[in-house]
Amino acid sequence: MDQSHAYHYGVMRRAIDAIDAAPAPLALEDLAARMDMSPAYFQRVFSAWVGVSPKRYQQYLALGHAKALLRERRTTLETAQELGLSGTGRLHDLFLRWEAMSPGDYGTGGAGLEIREGRFDSPFGPVVAMGTDRGLCGLGFAAETGVEASLQDLRARWPAARFSEDPDALAPWVEAAFSGRGEARLQLIGAPFAIKVWQALLEVPSGHVTTYSDIAARIGAPRAVRAAATAVGRNPISWLIPCHRALRKSGELGGYHWGLPVKRAMLAFEAARGEG
């Protein structure tokens, strides 16, 4: 995977801080100066990463953009299948295959599971990947939390499993996940309620968002909004199961297990690619 991804994410992360600190939108020259870059170089970095100009990308990163997304590109999950959107939690030509582990197997804490793990670069900084022979079961972003903390976080989901370092076995699925081409296989390992929530997330198309209350309604538990939000936050396969597309009903971003700057970057990345 292109090692420049981590650099591009680092620039974007600094841009978020600069944009948030500014009382008004920043001109290209001002934003570039705050990051000690020339305007031309700064524009090249952003255009290479996401395909749009820094001025346009700044609009996607703005704190109010999530509310605009909710007004304009909210997916009502009850109608997703009618619109032909079901299962399009992906970009471009990525095909997702997934299967869920049985509740009984989940209840053992992963006993008998062989889980391979590896560290990779991604458009959103360092990422930790984990997978069984059936597919990826974990994808955690480490830009805000650190690689070791992300590894321990995912390992704790399945404390009885056996873990081994084997990035080569996972590389094709990880490459597909971030290139948007090919096939990525997933194995959903979680409690039955959580798996229903993750299945609902898979119905939210790239560039669109939904709400925690919509998710709760979709799985037949309209009063369980808080429980649905908790299950969204516990999603172990971030990006591919797009928990970053779930917002509060008010349009606020809500939380994100791997850090809100990563969530904002993902939403901005998808919005820009969708209009690019």
Side-chain angles (χ1 to χ4, degrees):
M1 195 173 294
D2 186 352
Q3 292 299 311
S4 66
H5 279 322
Y7 173 70
H8 289 164
Y9 176 79
V11 173
M12 186 283 310
R13 178 65 180 86
R14 291 164 59 201
I16 287 180
D17 290 339
I19 292 165
D20 289 352
L26 295 170
L28 170 63
E29 291 77 12
D30 292 338
L31 192 53
R34 287 173 187 242
M35 290 186 289
D36 300 317
M37 294 180 177
S38 72
Y41 181 63
F42 180 55
Q43 179 133 346
R44 281 200 303 273
V45 168
F46 264 86
S47 295
W49 189 67
V50 78
V52 297
S53 70
K55 180 179 179 179
R56 186 69 176 137
Y57 190 61
Q58 186 175 181
Q59 295 170 349
Y60 296 130
L61 281 175
L63 286 169
H65 179 61
K67 292 183 179 180
L69 271 177
L70 200 59
R71 287 193 305 269
E72 300 164 11
R73 307 195 75 179
R74 178 177 176 181
T75 293
T76 303
L77 295 173
E78 287 80 355
T79 62
Q81 287 182 317
E82 295 174 22
L83 296 171
L85 299 176
S86 181
T88 54
R90 56 192 170 91
L91 282 174
H92 308 308
D93 299 314
L94 175 65
F95 183 69
L96 289 181
R97 286 186 189 276
W98 62 269
E99 61 178 274
M101 175 172 279
S102 72
D105 288 337
Y106 168 71
T108 67
L113 269 184
E114 299 275 356
I115 296 180
R116 303 174 180 92
E117 59 186 35
R119 308 175 191 202
F120 299 87
D121 187 29
S122 86
F124 312 105
V127 66
V128 171
M130 294 188 176
T132 69
D133 58 354
R134 297 188 177 186
L136 292 171
C137 62
L139 207 58
F141 293 88
E144 303 295 318
T145 61
V147 170
E148 287 305 318
S150 298
L151 275 170
Q152 293 305 321
D153 184 306
L154 287 175
R155 287 172 184 161
R157 315 292 181 101
W158 316 291
R162 290 188 294 274
F163 297 91
S164 62
E165 185 81 12
D166 190 359
D168 290 345
L170 307 174
W173 293 328
V174 174
E175 179 67 32
F178 295 114
S179 71
R181 296 184 301 274
E183 179 180 278
R185 292 179 178 266
L186 310 181
Q187 184 170 26
L188 279 55
I189 304 176
F193 181 87
I195 287 176
K196 286 182 180 179
V197 168
W198 303 340
Q199 289 171 347
L201 285 170
L202 285 167
E203 296 179 4
V204 183
S206 175
H208 290 66
V209 294
T210 192
T211 66
Y212 301 118
S213 55
D214 279 346
I215 292 169
R218 173 62 173 165
I219 65 172
R223 296 184 179 181
V225 176
R226 183 170 294 183
T230 298
V232 169
R234 291 292 293 168
N235 163 37
I237 316 176
S238 300
W239 180 244
L240 288 175
I241 298 177
C243 48
H244 60 281
R245 297 177 194 153
L247 307 177
R248 291 177 179 157
K249 205 169 187 177
S250 63
E252 301 296 327
L253 285 174
Y256 190 64
H257 192 76
W258 308 110
L260 279 178
V262 177
K263 182 173 185 172
R264 287 174 68 186
M266 289 176 172
L267 289 171
F269 185 94
E270 290 185 328
R273 288 291 172 96
E275 295 184 15

